[in-house]
Amino acid sequence: MRNHTRARQALTIISTLTALASATYIATGVGFMWAPWAYSAAWLLLISSLAYVIPQIDTLLALATTVARHTIHAARHAHDWLAALAGRRHTPISARVVRSTTRMGAGR
């Protein structure tokens, strides 16, 4: 996302969400009976937002990749933190073999 400005990213996100919302409204099918003007507006929003999003698909894919990487990193960090909190993490000190100095343990 080096070549993508924050403004372009923001417009891409807004257009993608607008396209999804208007497509969902259109897909439900009951909007035309209740408010024909809203149904027509949803079609216009869908067409205009797709007209912006489709050429910006590289920005959308780069943004989705970055979000996925950050989510995976946060999940790994949370897993490590919870494992340390639960005391299940193996540290080098606890992984050492302790040799017995008693007479019974010396023969093993």
Side-chain angles (χ1 to χ4, degrees):
M1 293 193 7
R2 292 181 186 101
N3 298 330
H4 309 294
T5 63
R6 296 275 185 191
R8 183 176 284 180
Q9 290 174 2
L11 284 173
T12 303
I13 291 170
I14 291 168
S15 293
T16 303
L17 293 175
T18 303
L20 289 172
S22 59
T24 303
Y25 183 77
I26 292 167
T28 58
V30 296
F32 186 72
M33 292 185 305
W34 289 341
W37 59 270
Y39 194 72
S40 299
W43 271 107
L44 290 174
L45 280 172
L46 178 65
I47 292 168
S48 63
S49 59
L50 285 179
Y52 184 80
V53 169
I54 290 173
Q56 298 294 329
I57 200 73
D58 62 332
T59 305
L60 186 63
L61 291 175
L63 189 62
T65 304
T66 302
V67 168
R69 284 183 185 155
H70 285 294
T71 303
I72 290 170
H73 178 73
R76 285 183 184 156
H77 183 71
H79 179 266
D80 292 343
W81 184 76
L82 289 172
L85 187 65
R88 292 181 294 181
R89 179 176 285 195
H90 297 288
T91 60
I93 295 171
S94 64
R96 292 184 189 158
V97 176
V98 179
R99 296 190 179 174
S100 176
T101 55
T102 61
R103 194 165 194 201
M104 288 178 88
R108 291 185 185 173

